[in-house]
Amino acid sequence: MAGTPAKFAVMLTEGAEQDLEAIHDYIAEFDCVANANYVLDQLMDVVESLSMHPERGNYPRELMALGIKEYRQTGFKPYRVIYRVMGSQVVIYLIADGRRDMQSVLARKLLGA
């Protein structure tokens, strides 16, 4: 159909899937399962929305400071979803609480430091 935006395939790395599980488990343990499910649903909505609009995310400032513009971010506050657009795919590398020390999290998970 003319005018329909291209749909991107969205893939979560194993690390991103583990991030989602850890976030859910933490909220379920220290708050309640209902809130954990709510946050998980909201994060999955963000992930799924990238199939239509992957370019909407901005560049993580921690990576921009290093001159790296390969990755983008979006999220459900305070959680940040870090991803990369590669052709017709969106690969999600990291889902983390933005209140953490993101410089070290990004260096460890994306840059292997």
Side-chain angles (χ1 to χ4, degrees):
M1 182 188 323
T4 302
K7 197 161 179 156
F8 290 76
V10 179
M11 303 178 63
L12 281 92
T13 62
E14 187 175 324
E17 288 179 2
Q18 291 170 353
D19 293 340
L20 283 173
E21 286 180 36
I23 290 166
H24 184 274
D25 291 348
Y26 181 87
I27 296 170
E29 181 177 347
F30 293 101
D31 191 353
C32 68
V33 173
N35 285 345
N37 290 340
Y38 172 76
V39 169
L40 183 62
D41 288 344
Q42 295 301 309
L43 286 170
M44 288 309 298
D45 286 349
V46 167
V47 166
E48 291 166 11
S49 73
L50 291 172
S51 71
M52 297 303 282
H53 306 287
E55 301 295 331
R56 74 161 193 250
N58 60 345
Y59 300 111
R61 66 186 174 282
E62 297 88 352
L63 296 177
M64 285 284 291
L66 301 173
I68 299 171
K69 291 185 178 180
E70 299 167 37
Y71 300 93
R72 292 182 173 268
Q73 71 177 359
T74 188
F76 171 68
K77 286 191 178 186
Y79 301 98
R80 292 169 64 181
V81 176
I82 310 293
Y83 64 95
R84 188 173 178 188
V85 180
M86 298 168 28
S88 62
Q89 283 189 333
V90 176
V91 180
I92 300 185
Y93 289 93
L94 171 69
I95 302 171
D97 187 325
R99 297 170 292 192
R100 294 175 59 190
D101 175 8
M102 289 302 291
Q103 189 75 37
S104 62
V105 171
L106 291 169
R108 186 176 69 250
K109 292 243 183 171
L110 298 180
L111 307 176

